[in-house]
RNA sequence: GGAGAAGUGGGUGAGUUGGCUGAAACCACAUCCCUGCUAAGGAUGCGUACCCUCACGGGUACCGAGAGUUCGAAUCUCUUCUUCUCCUCCA
């Protein structure tokens, strides 16, 4: 949700910035005019309410002084009607306002490259040379014949895009989670364990709702949803709070399962566990002041990057262009890991600074002296665990189909 | 799941025969004064959001949430959520 005051103050500037994300200028014009109408109507409402308060006070006086109240009563009654009308009007305008407001994506940072889609993302750097194989490297689902991943049984107990990890695969998955959490802890990210089901308010707070409902699993009969990412519960931990400045930045890490319907992804990545309805992920979330946010963003990018390096997985950093960024993000850096089986880099982490956008929705503020300011919220995967396992399988495979285990994971595997 | 009790500002906690209470008091906190030594005393300020105003200042809403009764509700009614206690149940 963008800052409506900023839009009013600098309409052309905001319009320019949002144009880079293909937001229709006309929509912004409409937003501005709806806001004007809303303010006007609300003011009329408030002045009618002020009258009502005044007259009601008089009423008490008259009663005490035993004065005649029939005239006053008539006035007050008429005014009451007016209030009801204005209330209805105000409600309608506010609804319109919110509908537009919640449908506008975040303003990209000025230095974010403009582009249509992922083809125009900009590579920042490549780290670690993909190793060359003396044989044709297999894809992870072929390697999974070693028993690490059981696709059929996943489908049996649930449906397609679910799988079962077993044996050494399961041990590695668990080792990865522990390794990641420890790694993050060392860099100052405090561990939290949170609900994987959240309410509507939380999903509104981080921007998944109202626009992306079709990709969420909803609990039948309740206003509850399975989380599509740990970002939702962790960020919303501070929903509606005012945090003292000296407690910032708050840096957290959490391991959760994530659930996505993958609506609109039919036919993509149908083999393997790259795209599942349920997947484990270790998440990083930070809550910072405006001044801290760039620095912490960098720390998060480094944290995830160094983790890949520690695991010995070749990757590249990509700066997403305006067209490829998520709805709430002002800037995003994706980490893409090298998959020898596919001979391509695939997303394994995505780190975003949403600036004030989520904070405004979730009402997360901090107190700087006497002022209450919106925090900046940042989130990023500290690697998707499933995809990390895929990367390990493919990068550490031997010709006979066996898979070596990265050094850093060995202490975690008994 | 069943039966009771309760939900007020950062905290404790008044207010529940409806109007003068957005809300006493105390604590905490902030600034200033006094004092002078590791403590104390005094003054003032101290919720959130939106709107009007260059500013001083003013308006509206909010006493868990939503709806209702009323000229007027923190105070009455209904719904709902949460917490606590007692059962029941359970990893």
């Amino acid at each position: 949700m963008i800052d409506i005051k900023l839009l009013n103050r600098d309409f052309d500037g905001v319009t320019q910035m949002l144009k880079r994300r293909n937001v229709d200028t006309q929509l912004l014009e409409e937003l501005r005019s709806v806001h004007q109408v809303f303010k006007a109507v609300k003011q009329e409402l408030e002045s009618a309410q002020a009258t009502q308060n005044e007259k009601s006070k008089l009423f008490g006086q008259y009663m005490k002084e035993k004065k005649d109240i029939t005239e006053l009563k008539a006035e007050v009654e008429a005014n009451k009607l007016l209030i009801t009308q204005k209330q209805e009007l105000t409600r309608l305008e506010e609804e319109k306002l919110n509908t537009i407001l919640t449908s506008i994506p975040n303003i990209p940072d000025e230095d974010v490259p403009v582009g249509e889609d992922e083809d125009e993302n900009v590579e920042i750097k490549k780290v670690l040379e993909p190793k060359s194989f003396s044989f044709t490297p297999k894809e992870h689902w072929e390697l999974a014949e070693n028993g690490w991943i059981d696709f059929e049984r996943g489908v049996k107990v649930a449906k397609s895009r679910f799988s079962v990890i077993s044996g050494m695969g399961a041990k590695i998955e668990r080792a990865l989670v522990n390794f990641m959490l420890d790694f993050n802890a060392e860099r100052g990210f405090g561990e939290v364990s949170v609900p994987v089901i959240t309410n509507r308010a939380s999903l509104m707070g981080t921007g998944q709702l109202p626009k992306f409902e079709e990709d969420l699993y909803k609990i039948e009969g309740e206003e509850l949803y399975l989380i599509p990412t740990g970002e939702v519960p962790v960020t919303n931990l501070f929903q509606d709070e005012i945090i003292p400045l000296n407690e910032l930045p708050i840096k957290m890490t959490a391991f959760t399962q994530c659930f996505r319907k993958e609506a609109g992804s039919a036919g993509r990545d149908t083999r393997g566990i790259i795209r599942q309805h349920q997947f484990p992920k270790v998440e990083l979330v930070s809550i910072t002041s405006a001044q801290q946010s760039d620095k912490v963003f960098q720390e998060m990018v480094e944290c995830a990057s160094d983790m890949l390096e520690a695991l010995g997985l070749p990757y590249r950093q990509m700066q997403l262009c305006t067209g490829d960024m998520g709805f709430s993000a002002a800037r995003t850096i994706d980490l893409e890991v090298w998959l020898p089986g596919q001979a391509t880099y695939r997303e394994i982490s995505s780190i975003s600074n949403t600036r004030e956008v989520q904070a405004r929705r979730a009402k997360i503020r901090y107190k700087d002296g006497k002022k209450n300011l919106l925090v900046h919220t940042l989130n990023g995967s500290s690697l998707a665990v499933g995809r990390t396992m895929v990367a390990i399988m493919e990068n550490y495979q031997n010709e006979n189909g066996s898979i070596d285990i990265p050094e850093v994971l060995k202490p975690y595997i008994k």
Side-chain angles (χ1 to χ4, degrees), chain A residues 15-223:
Chain A
T15 312
Q16 277 314 108
M17 296 303 277
L18 280 171
K19 222 179 200 163
R20 304 189 307 146
R21 287 197 78 150
N22 301 320
V23 175
D24 189 1
T25 306
Q26 224 169 352
L27 186 68
L28 296 170
E29 299 270 15
E30 195 189 335
L31 176 60
R32 182 163 64 166
S33 76
V34 169
H35 187 229
Q36 291 308 323
V37 174
F38 167 71
K39 279 205 295 195
V41 175
K42 184 154 186 199
Q43 231 170 94
E44 287 168 26
L45 203 215
E46 288 186 355
S47 82
Q49 283 171 322
T51 308
Q52 193 76 349
N53 287 341
E54 226 171 278
K55 297 245 159 106
S56 289
K57 244 172 216 169
L58 269 183
F59 209 96
Q61 265 179 39
Y62 279 31
M63 297 278 275
K64 215 175 271 173
E65 296 165 13
K66 303 226 169 14
K67 285 207 223 165
D68 183 37
I69 54 166
T70 46
E71 197 178 322
L72 184 61
K73 188 157 184 168
E75 280 174 35
V76 135
E77 217 105 281
N79 193 52
K80 202 176 168 185
L81 221 71
L82 185 69
I83 289 180
T84 316
Q85 283 172 10
K86 297 291 179 195
Q87 261 170 348
E88 183 57 16
L89 254 176
T90 308
R91 201 186 57 74
L92 283 173
E93 289 304 321
E94 186 164 27
E95 217 174 88
K96 263 198 239 170
L97 187 67
N98 281 332
T99 305
I100 303 175
L101 224 38
T102 51
S103 73
I104 295 175
N106 202 351
I107 298 171
D109 284 354
E110 282 192 43
D111 59 332
V112 170
V114 178
E116 280 300 309
D117 54 35
E118 59 183 22
D119 294 333
E120 296 183 64
N121 293 341
V122 175
E123 181 179 309
I124 298 170
K125 63 174 176 181
K126 278 199 177 81
V127 179
L128 297 182
E129 189 68 20
K131 90 176 189 199
S132 55
F133 291 84
S134 57
F135 54 95
T136 309
K138 293 180 177 151
E139 302 232 32
H140 75 278
W141 60 82
E142 300 174 277
L143 294 160
E145 281 165 19
N146 63 3
W148 287 16
I149 308 173
D150 187 335
F151 300 104
E152 291 77 17
R153 290 198 170 95
V155 174
K156 181 162 66 178
V157 298
K159 62 177 267 188
S160 65
R161 287 202 196 281
F162 284 88
S163 53
V164 173
I165 316 289
S166 55
M168 184 50 77
K171 278 183 191 291
I172 286 181
E173 181 181 284
R174 184 156 54 89
L176 274 171
V177 171
N178 287 330
F179 165 70
M180 289 179 188
L181 290 171
D182 287 349
F183 191 95
N184 295 338
E186 262 173 45
R187 305 211 172 194
F189 292 88
E191 185 175 340
V192 284
S193 177
V194 294
V196 294
I197 295 177
T198 64
N199 56 31
R200 242 189 120 72
S202 293
L203 287 151
M204 291 289 283
T206 32
Q208 282 75 19
L209 288 178
K211 264 201 109 173
F212 306 103
E213 178 140 22
E214 66 285 350
D215 204 38
L216 298 172
Y217 284 102
K218 186 170 190 218
I219 309 284
E220 191 176 344
E222 305 202 56
E223 284 294 291

Side-chain angles (χ1 to χ4, degrees), chain A residues 245 248-251 286-294 296-297 300 353 355 366 374-378:
Chain A
L245 177 60
L248 298 179
I250 298 170
K251 304 197 316 186
S286 298
I287 295 182
T288 77
S289 70
Q291 291 73 28
Q292 297 161 341
S293 98
D294 286 323
V296 173
F297 181 74
M300 289 167 70
N353 189 345
R355 306 248 174 235
Y366 67 100
L374 292 167
V375 299
H376 283 199
T377 63
L378 302 85

Side-chain angles (χ1 to χ4, degrees), chain A residues 322-372:
Chain A
T322 52
D324 198 30
M325 284 200 302
F327 183 77
S328 300
R331 76 185 301 115
T332 298
I333 288 182
D334 271 10
L335 268 33
E336 298 182 347
V337 71
W338 175 254
L339 295 185
Q342 296 187 9
T344 157
Y345 286 96
R346 293 297 305 259
E347 176 185 339
I348 194 167
S349 171
S350 184
I351 298 137
S352 298
N353 189 345
T354 78
R355 306 248 174 235
E356 292 182 349
V357 154
Q358 290 181 332
R360 184 170 294 110
R361 289 171 153 239
K363 298 193 181 66
I364 310 175
R365 290 152 293 173
Y366 67 100
K367 202 170 258 306
D368 187 0
K370 280 198 76 90
K371 280 182 303 192
N372 294 324

Side-chain angles (χ1 to χ4, degrees), chain A residues 402-414:
Chain A
S402 68
I403 295 160
D404 296 333
I405 291 175
E407 270 321 302
V408 291
L409 283 189
K410 285 185 179 163
Y412 289 92
I413 297 173
K414 290 208 175 95

